[in-house]
Amino acid sequence: GGGGGGGGGGELSKTICHVGNLPFKVTTDALAFAFAQCGEVVRCHLAQDRDTGKLRGFGFVEFKEEAAARKAVEAQGITVAGRQVRVSFAPDKSGGKRGRDGEGMTARKRFEAHPLMMRSADCWFCLSSPKVEKHLVVSIGDEVYLALAKGPLVPEHVLILPITHYGSASQMPDNVWEEVEKYQKSLEKCFREKLGKTCVVYERNTPSKAGQIHCHLQVVPIPSDLEDKIGDHVVSCGNQCNIPFEHNQNWRDEEDLEHYVVYSVPSTKATLLHKIPPGQRHPLNFAREVVANLLEMPDRADWKNCALSLEEETETASKFKELFKDYDWSLE
């Protein structure tokens, strides 16, 4: 009862439980199923030995509500795959034990220190999820895949998404990010040689009530003569809304990068970052509006105005595959 003020130390998470005494043959689904009686489960993770990949007999469950996590900790006799487990509040991920002090860690390190993965069944973008709109997927690499955007700004508007559920590009391990960049380069080359255009890439990683979203980078072809104007355009749009941007090519190495909006131009490597201050609301449609205005298509700033029928989406996807096939390294 009652808000406990600032809470001394703040070492324990309010929504993430540590689960011990797990059987060595268990799945994340079995773990999620066992704890669903306490409330909505957002993510589950089973700890593995880094060298052998074998399970280590403990894991983590993250709940949507604090009350559900409390219920799990207070409950007696929860069993997973027939074995009674020990449940306690997990160390807060920003100060997790493996991350030493947790201070000054990059988002990527924090994620690795406490690698809770979203259950794929509930995610629109996890490839293994029944919710994925498979007809929009146009290319699948080793770590990353491409899908057409819902309600695209232009027909060749695509998303680059990690196959594993990472919440943002800042959390991706380097090998995944390298594949993102590989796709960016091949898309840029395709647009330049086939359409006479360049492209802008943007990501909006904003606070979400729905828990951790699945990272997606938007790639939009733009006329080549706008290539050198993108930076000024982004800064100017930001200034009008009191959203300051700064040039930062190494933005993924920023410490304590929680929420942000980033634009980049693969052909010039120009990169503009806005760090969203903690607790500040960010206009949901801002990132897309900036590109819609650049293309002089302000009426297409809301994706819902651009929604296509299933038939149109399927046809657009097939045309894109044809356009991209000579540049798609995943087909090699």
Side-chain angles (χ1 to χ4, degrees):
E11 286 90 0
L12 294 178
S13 168
K14 292 185 171 68
T15 53
I16 301 174
C17 296
H18 179 282
V19 184
N21 199 38
L22 283 170
F24 286 99
K25 285 186 176 172
V26 69
T27 63
T28 50
D29 281 344
L31 189 56
F33 182 74
F35 281 89
Q37 59 181 309
C38 304
E40 187 179 337
V41 173
V42 184
R43 292 181 282 179
C44 284
H45 174 71
L46 293 167
Q48 292 175 300
D49 184 285
R50 287 199 164 180
D51 299 322
T52 65
K54 286 183 180 165
L55 295 179
R56 294 171 62 194
F58 71 92
F60 299 93
V61 176
E62 180 170 3
F63 292 96
K64 191 172 181 182
E65 308 287 343
E66 291 179 16
R70 274 200 304 277
K71 194 172 170 185
V73 170
E74 289 161 9
Q76 296 297 315
I78 290 181
T79 60
V80 178
R83 190 166 179 176
Q84 193 164 326
V85 293
R86 290 190 301 273
V87 188
S88 57
F89 284 110
D92 190 280
K93 61 182 170 187
S94 57
K97 291 174 188 164
R98 293 229 313 272
R100 292 183 297 280
D101 56 356
E103 292 296 314
M105 289 168 75
T106 63
R108 196 151 65 254
K109 290 263 171 37
R110 274 205 302 276
F111 188 82
E112 285 161 5
H114 210 316
L116 287 166
M117 304 306 293
M118 170 80 85
R119 288 190 65 224
S120 61
D122 303 324
C123 178
W124 289 99
F125 290 129
C126 281
L127 272 184
S128 55
S129 162
K131 289 186 178 177
V132 162
E133 300 198 50
K134 302 263 193 300
H135 67 285
L136 293 173
V137 175
V138 289
S139 174
I140 302 178
D142 299 320
E143 301 286 351
V144 175
Y145 75 98
L146 290 187
L148 283 185
K150 291 288 281 180
L153 271 165
V154 295
E156 302 81 17
H157 177 176
V158 289
L159 308 179
I160 303 179
L161 308 104
I163 291 169
T164 297
H165 188 106
Y166 295 105
S168 66
S170 61
Q171 290 178 348
M172 287 180 194
D174 289 341
N175 64 314
V176 180
W177 179 248
E178 279 161 20
E179 199 167 295
V180 168
E181 291 190 313
K182 197 170 170 184
Y183 264 124
Q184 285 184 21
K185 280 181 190 146
S186 50
L187 286 166
E188 200 276 330
K189 190 168 194 274
C190 170
F191 295 155
R192 192 175 287 279
E193 293 179 3
K194 289 285 186 88
L195 306 176
K197 294 184 175 183
T198 182
C199 61
V200 62
V201 181
Y202 67 93
E203 183 198 4
R204 175 177 63 84
N205 174 32
T206 53
S208 160
K209 287 186 182 133
Q212 193 189 47
I213 54 173
H214 189 124
C215 166
H216 51 289
L217 293 97
Q218 316 256 357
V219 185
V220 183
I222 55 167
S224 295
D225 60 349
L226 294 175
E227 187 172 63
D228 296 327
K229 299 179 179 148
I230 297 170
D232 291 343
H233 174 76
V234 169
V235 169
S236 146
C237 292
N239 288 342
Q240 285 169 31
C241 303
N242 197 23
I243 297 174
F245 281 86
E246 56 185 47
H247 288 273
N248 188 339
Q249 281 191 15
N250 300 317
W251 63 276
R252 287 181 71 253
D253 298 324
E254 282 285 303
E255 292 182 349
D256 302 319
L257 183 59
E258 194 71 33
H259 296 113
Y260 59 87
V261 178
V262 66
Y263 291 88
S264 65
V265 185
S267 55
T268 62
K269 298 205 165 35
T271 306
L272 288 142
L273 174 72
H274 167 66
K275 286 189 191 180
I276 300 168
Q280 191 176 91
R281 290 178 68 85
H282 182 83
L284 199 60
N285 234 11
F286 171 83
R288 178 168 167 136
E289 270 173 18
V290 169
V291 181
N293 289 337
L294 178 74
L295 294 170
E296 297 179 350
M297 300 175 172
D299 53 320
R300 297 184 74 80
D302 186 341
W303 73 271
K304 293 185 186 109
N305 297 342
C306 311
L308 303 174
S309 68
L310 179 66
E311 290 75 18
E312 289 170 325
E313 284 179 343
T314 306
E315 191 187 339
T316 307
S318 125
K319 283 181 176 166
F320 184 88
K321 284 183 193 168
E322 183 59 32
L323 175 80
F324 189 53
K325 68 177 187 197
D326 294 339
Y327 302 85
D328 187 351
W329 50 268
S330 76
L331 301 174
E332 288 164 11

